[in-house]
Amino acid sequence: MTRTYWLEHAWLGTHVEPGVAVDTKDGRITAVHQDADTPPPGAEILRGLTLPGLANAHSHAFHRALRGTVQVGSGTFWTWREIMYATADRLTPDTYHALARAAYAEMALAGITAVGEFHYVHHAPGGTPYADPNAMGEALIAAAADAGIRITLLDTCYLSAGFGQPPNTHQLRFSDRTAEAWAERCSVLKERDHARIGAAIHSVRAVPADQLATVAQWAEERRAPLHVHLSEQIAENDACRDVHGCTPTQLLALHGVLGPRTTGVHNTHLTAEDISLIGGSGTGTCMCPTTERDLADGIGPAVALQNEGSPLSLGSDSHAVIDLLEEARAMELNERLRSRTRGHWTAAALLRAATADGHAALGWADAGSLEPGALADFTTIALDSVRTAGALPRLGAETAVFAATAADVRHTVVGGRHVVRDGAHTLVPDVPQALAQAVDALRA
Ligand SMILES: [Zn+2]
């Protein structure tokens, strides 16, 4: 099927171009015509600033159920984790599907066209496999289809509570007992048009060192993305040093986990040598600034990582909010607070993290740009909302990154299909209600 879109303003990677016609066939861009002052006959008109679709490179869909409730009281990442585990205990394939469908619909409304789901709630409580051992992963893949977005299911190996410690009661359902059993289960998962399969190591706490290479090899054989939570907490670094005499990054390097298809998530508390190992190996960095600030993690050295060669991507992780524009500006604004200087990233660089580099981190190298051959995934930001009105269109990227929010997303197109039109989801009729019902079903 062929279709032409007329973009009132288009972000072409380096600048905003007014009046661009984009031809598509079977969900891919076939031609990009600049100087299209008026819409060609029959074209779908996208008013505002159209970007390539946004990639949410790090998600735990079920954390959406925690929003608000985890803001009562004080504590740390570790006390927050207890509340998170209580919700994980209550998930079933059906309730997980309902919640993920609603959360992914919220993502579509926020202009997100692809999500990286870091998925570790594999089995029934206590660790008994479901009749289909991938029932939970399949629920997530189906949820993404129902919400109209792409998914990379980053099936996560999670075997231990800490170095040399068996999984606790909550973690039993995360564990396949060995990395080999994890690999066997994951090998059954099938890719689909909207779904790719990748791997994840939950953290160096959760996968014994002598099993890290099994996960890395599985990803290597499939040329699949491999993600890992890395040095989000100082306690993880301390425990790793006590047991292995090195940092988590050094341990990953030693066991062949780092490389251009690998993404470290958070990369918060790193030594200078860690930064060189990550950057020098081409390992990516997924920053999740709204979660990192919510959980009082600290501010990761994203500038230094990028300078050493680590491509940056962005994720909403715990879904304290789902807003990739906020993630993008938060990365820059955190750095401003720390350094007391401005302009560490241009709006173009921040958009690159939110689009092309985010997609690449999820194994969708053919998405994230408005050019022939790319997937026809678009996000259109209103330039006439109360937040964005008055900006010069040629500064549309700066306006989108530094002033717009998810509420300004007017259209989301995935593979040439309008998933969000004029701010309304076309597949999930009432997203707030779907969220409320799905969250309510998980309350104790
Ligand atoms: Zn995470």
Side-chain angles (χ1 to χ4, degrees), residues 75-82 84 205 232-233 295-297:
T76 64
F77 170 88
W78 306 102
T79 51
W80 166 87
R81 194 175 73 155
E82 288 307 311
M84 184 268 281
R205 287 178 274 127
E232 181 179 7
Q233 295 294 321
L295 298 181
D297 288 346

Side-chain angles (χ1 to χ4, degrees), residues 58 60 118 229 265-266 317:
H58 190 65
H60 307 280
F118 198 102
H229 288 135
V265 180
H266 304 302
D317 188 4

Side-chain angles (χ1 to χ4, degrees), residues 21 42 83 93 106 123 135 172 175 197 199 207 230 277 319 326 341 359:
I83 306 171
E106 181 182 354
H123 307 299
L172 283 171
S175 174
I197 310 298
V207 178
L230 182 53
L277 282 170
H319 312 316
E326 173 64 24
T341 56
H359 279 98

